[in-house]
Amino acid sequence: MRVLITGCHGQVGHCLTQQLAGNENTTVLALDKENLDITNQEAVNAAVVEFQPNIIINAAAHTAVDKAEEEVELSYAINRDGPNYLAQAAQRAGAAILHISTDYVFEGNKVGEYQETDTTNPQGVYGESKLAGEIAVANACDKHIILRTAWVFGENGNNFVKTMLRLGATRNELSIVGDQFGGPTYAGDIAHVLIQIAKRITDGGDVEYGVYHYSGLPHVSWFEFAETIFDTAVKQTVILNKPSLTSITTDQYPTPAKRPSNSRLSTDKITKSFAIKASDWTAALNNIQAYKG
């Protein structure tokens, strides 16, 4: 495999780079925005022509959900135009592109789990720009996998787990939103899944290209997620005392961008197609010390 990774310093990109390091018969070119501006089509084309990947994994994204409401042009440049350039270059090189997307492409008010075939209806700039990126990738490259995920956390980068541990170390009381539900997803699991799919493609296995959902189980609220984080942290003596948690509503915690109340993604399709099970996010917290700092 010759794998080009973009966004290599992000949560998933970091895990991808680590997991692929030293793999036999695998050559990796891991790039971040300092090395490759994916919004620059000429730079993208040059990188792909020079490296000649057979797999491109796009882990680059503008993920600042609230900032996106103001940084509209930047959001679309990174979340739509960049993926489009990468997909076009992949098509010319005969490569497959694996592109990470989000639950924010949905309205977030469905009862039950979202299927890949459900109607998209993003409620903010972030979701709109990510959906535009999905469409661009699908139209530009025949061999594409779009992996929608949600509530990503890991040892690298900023995420909910790290925020909770930081706040829990200094505060006795915390208010956490309890009416938004989803599946926390470990970044290392997302990376592992992308590598499994990439290997299937390069080995010539049967692959149904298109959109897949991958996230964690069990589904919980942010409040329930926080409870588990602190219970685990206290058990492993990462923090001495669990702060008092209060469940609040979305209306009590207003944000510039609307959050989905339901981010539950069905992982049935990816399990059936690739024998990939949902992320076990509770297991990913077993080494919670790694998330501190």
Side-chain angles (χ1 to χ4, degrees):
M1 274 198 311
R2 294 183 64 81
V3 185
L4 189 157
I5 300 168
T6 61
C8 70
H9 291 161
Q11 291 194 88
V12 177
H14 178 79
C15 293
L16 279 166
T17 306
Q18 281 193 322
Q19 290 180 27
L20 284 170
N23 270 27
E24 285 188 17
N25 304 317
T26 302
T27 305
V28 178
L29 177 61
L31 302 172
D32 202 17
K33 58 186 176 183
E34 289 82 8
N35 312 113
L36 177 64
D37 176 4
I38 64 168
T39 69
N40 181 330
Q41 188 170 18
E42 288 186 7
V44 168
N45 290 341
V48 172
V49 167
E50 182 179 352
F51 183 63
Q52 286 296 304
N54 49 22
I55 299 287
I56 296 175
I57 304 180
N58 180 35
H62 186 282
T63 58
V65 176
D66 289 326
K67 282 186 179 179
E69 294 300 309
E70 297 176 358
E71 299 174 344
V72 179
E73 287 188 14
L74 181 63
S75 297
Y76 275 90
I78 298 172
N79 294 339
R80 176 195 61 195
D81 300 343
N84 185 36
Y85 300 150
L86 288 165
Q88 289 177 354
Q91 180 74 4
R92 285 192 294 271
I97 182 166
L98 281 54
H99 173 69
I100 303 170
S101 193
T102 173
D103 58 295
Y104 275 76
V105 301
F106 295 114
E107 188 169 352
N109 60 358
K110 179 184 177 178
V111 176
E113 298 177 344
Y114 275 98
Q115 311 289 329
E116 287 83 352
T117 52
D118 282 334
T119 302
T120 52
N121 186 22
Q123 298 296 294
V125 172
Y126 171 64
E128 289 167 354
S129 63
K130 289 295 289 182
L131 178 59
E134 287 189 10
I135 294 167
V137 167
N139 288 339
C141 185
D142 297 332
K143 295 191 288 187
H144 66 270
I145 296 287
I146 294 164
L147 193 72
R148 292 179 184 146
T149 189
W151 294 24
V152 180
F153 71 95
E155 299 89 345
N156 188 66
N158 298 316
N159 55 67
F160 186 75
V161 176
K162 286 190 166 188
T163 299
M164 289 300 101
L165 292 177
R166 187 178 70 249
L167 294 176
T170 57
R171 298 190 190 179
N172 296 323
E173 299 179 2
L174 290 172
S175 297
I176 311 292
V177 172
D179 60 355
Q180 296 172 17
F181 296 87
T185 315
Y186 177 51
D189 289 342
I190 298 170
H192 181 66
V193 164
L194 290 167
I195 293 168
Q196 282 183 270
I197 294 172
K199 286 180 176 177
R200 172 85 72 90
I201 292 169
T202 53
D203 288 346
D206 185 31
V207 174
E208 179 187 345
Y209 291 103
V211 179
Y212 290 87
H213 290 172
Y214 180 74
S215 66
L217 286 175
H219 293 136
V220 288
S221 67
W222 289 113
F223 176 80
E224 291 166 326
F225 189 19
E227 286 244 271
T228 305
I229 292 166
F230 287 122
D231 287 343
T232 306
V234 170
K235 185 178 180 181
Q236 297 181 20
T237 65
V238 172
I239 59 173
L240 296 178
N241 298 299
K242 177 182 176 180
S244 174
L245 302 182
T246 302
S247 179
I248 60 172
T249 65
T250 300
D251 291 341
Q252 290 174 286
Y253 188 74
T255 54
K258 183 181 178 183
R259 265 62 173 173
S261 59
N262 178 18
S263 293
R264 300 178 184 92
L265 300 177
S266 169
T267 54
D268 291 346
K269 181 182 175 183
I270 201 166
T271 300
K272 185 177 180 181
S273 299
F274 293 99
I276 288 169
K277 295 181 179 179
S279 175
D280 183 352
W281 61 267
T282 55
L285 293 178
N286 284 341
N287 184 26
I288 203 164
Q289 178 68 45
Y291 300 88
K292 195 178 180 184

